């Protein structure tokens, strides 16, 4: 059943809210299962995020650093996945910030694996004379950032970190 928000969006020629969300399972009981990792990253992209390279990220924000620190307290398999999610969050945030720059020629993220850059470009830009991030794609990107933030942090984000992310994303 469509929500009132979805009905208003349809009346205005916009996509319903769920269209902006990454693939999800609304019947999931465990929060981590609500947004399966394979709905966010292909196996190729997951493999491209090498946990050993996490220390080489250029200027990670405090939430990424916090997620990496928390990941280091986990057992090996969980640790690797959380580190990969933190790295992916870093690249999503970098892509978002880069997409705001008018002088940007294509969406290039300095330290991102090429497959991650390709994924972000194909998911969040419109091809034309030059690639651009539309408002709908920006909303989709923000939704993915929120989901990946939660997965990377183990579904526990301190309020001060939420405020910092809102400031980075300019949505305060």
């Amino acid at each position: 059943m469509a929500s009132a928000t979805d009905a208003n969006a349809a009346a205005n020629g916009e996509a319903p809210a769920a269209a902006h969300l990454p693939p999800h399972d609304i019947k999931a009981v465990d929060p981590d299962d609500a947004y399966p990792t394979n709905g966010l990253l292909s196996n190729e992209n997951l493999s491209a995020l090498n946990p050993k390279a996490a220390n080489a990220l250029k200027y990670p924000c405090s939430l990424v650093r916090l997620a990496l620190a928390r990941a280091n307290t986990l057992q090996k398999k969980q640790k690797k996945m959380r580190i990969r999610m933190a790295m992916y969050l870093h690249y999503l945030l970098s892509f978002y910030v880069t997409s705001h720059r008018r002088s940007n020629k294509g969406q290039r993220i300095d330290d991102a694996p090429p497959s991650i850059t390709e994924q972000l470009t194909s998911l969040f830009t419109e091809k034309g004379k030059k690639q651009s991030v539309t408002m709908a794609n920006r909303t989709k990107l923000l939704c993915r950032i929120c989901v990946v933030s939660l997965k990377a942090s183990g579904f526990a984000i301190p309020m001060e970190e939420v405020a910092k992310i809102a400031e980075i994303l300019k949505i305060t």
Side-chain angles (χ1 to χ4, degrees):
M1 179 173 190
S3 69
T5 305
D6 289 346
N8 288 340
N12 293 328
E14 300 169 2
H20 298 298
L21 295 173
H24 55 283
D25 178 2
I26 60 171
K27 295 180 182 175
V29 176
D30 184 327
D32 204 37
D33 295 337
Y35 289 93
T37 301
N38 65 5
L40 298 168
L41 291 163
S42 67
N43 286 336
E44 176 191 1
N45 287 338
L46 198 57
S47 296
L49 297 170
N50 181 355
K52 292 178 181 174
N55 291 332
L57 294 176
K58 293 181 183 176
Y59 312 113
C61 73
S62 58
L63 180 59
V64 171
R65 289 192 308 269
L66 177 67
L68 289 170
R70 283 184 179 169
N72 284 319
T73 67
L74 302 171
Q75 293 186 357
K76 190 174 184 174
K77 187 175 180 181
Q78 238 187 344
K79 175 181 176 177
K80 285 174 101 174
M81 184 57 71
R82 286 274 188 85
I83 289 173
R84 286 179 167 136
M85 284 291 117
M87 293 174 75
Y88 187 48
L89 175 60
H90 171 74
Y91 299 133
L92 285 166
L93 290 167
S94 296
F95 185 87
Y96 183 86
V97 170
T98 302
S99 72
H100 277 358
R101 296 185 188 137
R102 293 189 183 271
S103 63
N104 187 34
K105 301 216 185 333
Q107 307 308 100
R108 187 167 171 269
I109 308 165
D110 289 336
D111 54 349
S115 66
I116 297 293
T117 301
E118 288 170 23
Q119 181 214 33
L120 298 179
T121 301
S122 70
L123 283 174
F124 305 114
T125 62
E126 298 295 325
K127 291 184 171 77
K129 286 186 178 178
K130 69 179 196 182
Q131 292 177 330
S132 64
V133 179
T134 64
M135 285 306 291
N137 283 338
R138 190 172 315 280
T139 300
K140 217 166 101 172
L141 178 56
L142 285 170
C143 289
R144 187 166 290 237
I145 287 170
C146 291
V147 168
V148 174
S149 295
L150 289 167
K151 286 185 78 78
S153 66
F155 296 89
I157 302 174
M159 282 308 294
E160 61 271 10
E161 293 303 321
V162 172
K164 289 176 186 176
I165 289 293
E167 186 178 322
I168 290 169
L169 301 175
K170 299 181 186 338
I171 55 174
T172 55

